[in-house]
Amino acid sequence: MTEQTKTLVGLRATMLDNETVQPNTELLNTLKSAIPQFFDTDGNFKADKFAEELKANNVSEARDGYKLSFVGKDYARLQVGRASETMIVPDCRHNTLPENANSGNVFITGDNLEALRHLQNAYKDKVKMIYIDPPYNTGKEFVYNDKFEFDDEKLQSALGYDENEIARLKSIQGKSSHSAWLTFMYPRLKIAQKLLTDDGVIFISIDDNEQANLKLLMDDVFGEGNFVGQWNWYKSETPPNLSLKIKKNIEYILGYEKSNNSERFTGLKKESKSDDPFTKPQNIVKELCFPIGSINIKSKIGKIKKGIYGTDKFPNELFDDIIVENGKNKNEIRFKNRFIWTQEKLDTEILNDTTINLSENGVLSYKKSNYNPEVPPNFISSEVGSTNEKAGTELISLMSENYFDYPKPVDLIKYLINFRIKDKDII
């Protein structure tokens, strides 16, 4: 049997399997993997046993609860459970070009839902981070064009819909309604969730048009407990003033983990732009010993005698004469003050190239070359995340033309990547 024949046989088997897919197929497969004890030998879910287990553990089952509903949700769930019926065909001519011969990249061109279905085969549970920039549904650039490949009989069989419900479902085709957008997003997010590692994270850009619905949808797919947070991105220095009420400089990035864990997010290292005071009035008075050459001395005096220096608020008591050579202390010296550091912290900072300064009036301060990465704030400024304008310039530089409206800047993606990514992680 040739490889082509094997592929066609495989596709035929996939198509037959897809005929049996129901809106709950993907959910049942997930449950079967996680709690196989609630399935019989024929693969049927034993709902009564599951309900008894919930009651035994005091888990209440409310008849009506808080949930997200929209026209097309059952159809979107049906799409999640279906496997791809297409083939990925290599572009041999492109791949053999000298500039592409040794590329380690895979670039898939096609419908993104189909591409995600193919990616499941090789990357399920392997991707550490996903970033997506979905259509914002402003009413212009997004229209739900799904052709509803199932006929009415199949829709009636798979979804249990009557004629009126089928007509209502088909009414979202060619629309940019909230229901159409949610129907488009749901299966893509469900499959993206499957690609993530257990400690994986997904970031999604969005604006005001669908931010509220995206939050509800992500809670539905990933679970409220896996919501990391929402970052406000300063997107533009000069946004078009389309509103008479408010000038919109901000877009949003929602972050969710696949499963809640304690792994820390870290932002970029910040550089010190000014000297920080060495003392605070609330600290206890302590004595610190400064090693030879550890202080930059701004005084031109070749020798500073022991005594009390600094200011009335922060007096520095110097216990030893300071011999100044080339702007640094030539001898070991001791100061007494309300220092913010202990001796151990001081010694560590000196090893890490923190600069300690002594001003002409005897005030001590310090300046770090950089700081350890911190937990990122919920605001991404133009200094960190760049802007749409810069992204447009980058795109023209890269491709000689601005092929996309409102592209995202490289700096923004780099910033998100640095939150958690380590070497060899797949993004």
Side-chain angles (χ1 to χ4, degrees):
M1 185 182 292
T2 66
E3 287 300 319
Q4 184 177 11
T5 303
K6 288 180 181 177
T7 301
L8 291 173
V9 169
L11 280 176
R12 177 60 181 163
T14 297
M15 293 170 73
L16 290 174
D17 288 340
N18 281 341
E19 289 297 316
T20 64
V21 169
Q22 301 291 318
N24 64 352
T25 296
E26 187 271 339
L27 173 62
L28 290 175
N29 288 337
T30 301
L31 290 174
K32 194 179 296 182
S33 174
I35 47 173
Q37 67 270 31
F38 294 107
F39 288 81
D40 61 24
T41 54
D42 295 323
N44 298 313
F45 181 58
K46 296 189 282 188
D48 291 344
K49 182 180 178 182
F50 185 67
E52 289 174 7
E53 186 75 15
L54 291 177
K55 290 176 183 176
N57 288 279
N58 294 320
V59 180
S60 64
E61 295 176 277
R63 178 179 178 86
D64 296 308
Y66 178 77
K67 60 183 179 180
L68 175 65
S69 296
F70 54 90
V71 176
K73 186 174 185 179
D74 287 340
Y75 176 71
R77 292 171 61 207
L78 187 65
Q79 287 182 307
V80 176
R82 290 173 61 82
S84 175
E85 297 179 2
T86 62
M87 290 169 42
I88 294 180
V89 180
D91 186 342
C92 297
R93 177 183 165 279
H94 173 88
N95 294 343
T96 54
L97 293 174
E99 61 268 30
N100 303 324
N102 297 315
S103 172
N105 302 312
V106 177
F107 188 88
I108 300 175
T109 303
D111 177 81
N112 60 356
L113 181 56
E114 282 294 291
L116 284 166
R117 286 169 173 162
H118 282 292
L119 285 173
Q120 284 186 99
N121 298 327
Y123 293 101
K124 187 175 183 291
D125 299 325
K126 293 182 179 179
V127 178
K128 185 66 175 281
M129 173 186 157
I130 294 173
Y131 168 80
I132 62 173
D133 185 20
Y136 279 9
N137 199 14
T138 62
K140 296 178 181 178
E141 91 289 2
F142 170 77
V143 173
Y144 187 63
N145 284 321
D146 193 297
K147 298 293 191 297
F148 294 104
E149 66 263 40
F150 313 123
D151 58 26
D152 290 4
E153 185 178 346
K154 169 65 178 175
L155 289 172
Q156 191 171 12
S157 171
L159 304 178
Y161 281 5
D162 59 29
E163 291 181 0
N164 291 332
E165 289 172 318
I166 291 173
R168 188 170 180 230
L169 169 63
K170 288 188 170 183
S171 71
I172 68 175
Q173 183 181 340
K175 301 291 178 61
S176 57
S177 65
H178 294 303
S179 288
W181 188 84
L182 289 165
T183 302
F184 169 83
M185 291 294 294
Y186 183 90
R188 289 157 176 82
L189 291 171
K190 287 291 290 186
I191 298 176
Q193 182 189 39
K194 293 181 182 180
L195 297 178
L196 288 174
T197 58
D198 287 340
D199 60 349
V201 60
I202 183 170
F203 296 103
I204 308 174
S205 284
I206 202 68
D207 73 352
D208 290 316
N209 291 288
E210 293 292 354
Q211 183 275 340
N213 286 324
L214 178 62
K215 177 66 171 64
L216 292 174
L217 181 60
M218 292 299 292
D219 285 348
D220 189 84
V221 172
F222 282 81
E224 289 182 65
N226 293 324
F227 175 57
V228 174
Q230 175 177 292
W231 282 266
N232 298 331
W233 170 51
Y234 188 77
K235 66 168 182 170
S236 179
E237 300 288 349
T238 55
N241 195 15
L242 302 179
S243 171
L244 299 177
K245 308 292 185 182
I246 183 171
K247 192 171 186 178
K248 296 182 179 180
N249 292 87
I250 300 294
E251 286 183 5
Y252 314 102
I253 299 172
L254 271 61
Y256 279 77
E257 295 174 309
K258 185 173 183 178
S259 58
N260 193 283
N261 64 78
S262 59
E263 189 173 349
R264 179 187 176 96
F265 273 27
T266 54
L268 299 179
K269 289 185 178 182
K270 65 175 182 177
E271 294 184 357
S272 175
K273 294 182 179 179
S274 61
D275 291 351
D276 293 314
F278 223 120
T279 54
K280 287 185 178 179
Q282 66 267 33
N283 290 339
I284 61 171
V285 176
K286 59 174 78 79
E287 183 181 318
L288 295 181
C289 181
F290 295 81
I292 296 170
S294 62
I295 301 180
N296 285 336
I297 299 172
K298 296 182 180 180
S299 174
K300 296 178 182 179
I301 302 173
K303 184 177 181 179
I304 301 174
K305 293 186 177 182
K306 62 182 179 181
I308 296 178
Y309 294 86
T311 63
D312 291 339
K313 190 174 183 180
F314 298 110
N316 286 333
E317 186 172 353
L318 174 61
F319 291 108
D320 311 285
D321 291 343
I322 303 176
I323 300 173
V324 182
E325 184 174 277
N326 296 324
K328 290 184 177 291
N329 56 309
K330 190 179 179 182
N331 58 318
E332 187 178 89
I333 53 175
R334 292 169 297 134
F335 272 107
K336 185 178 181 182
N337 207 326
R338 294 183 179 275
F339 290 115
I340 59 175
W341 290 345
T342 62
Q343 185 68 52
E344 182 181 11
K345 174 69 172 174
L346 171 65
D347 295 340
T348 300
E349 290 295 334
I350 290 171
L351 288 175
N352 290 334
D353 296 326
T354 296
T355 302
I356 299 167
N357 297 313
L358 182 66
S359 69
E360 291 189 4
N361 63 349
V363 174
L364 282 165
S365 60
Y366 67 91
K367 186 172 184 177
K368 295 185 179 183
S369 55
N370 57 55
Y371 292 76
N372 291 326
E374 298 179 335
V375 172
N378 63 355
F379 179 68
I380 302 177
S381 67
S382 57
E383 292 180 3
V384 174
S386 200
T387 60
N388 273 141
E389 289 87 357
K390 184 178 178 184
T393 302
E394 289 173 345
L395 190 61
I396 292 172
S397 174
L398 182 68
M399 304 183 71
S400 75
E401 192 173 333
N402 198 352
Y403 286 97
F404 308 102
D405 293 330
Y406 311 112
K408 297 299 183 288
V410 172
D411 288 348
L412 176 64
I413 310 304
K414 280 185 178 180
Y415 183 65
L416 298 175
I417 287 173
N418 278 318
F419 285 176
R420 180 175 278 182
I421 298 301
K422 298 180 178 65
D423 289 345
K424 299 184 179 179
D425 282 337
I426 297 174
I427 305 170

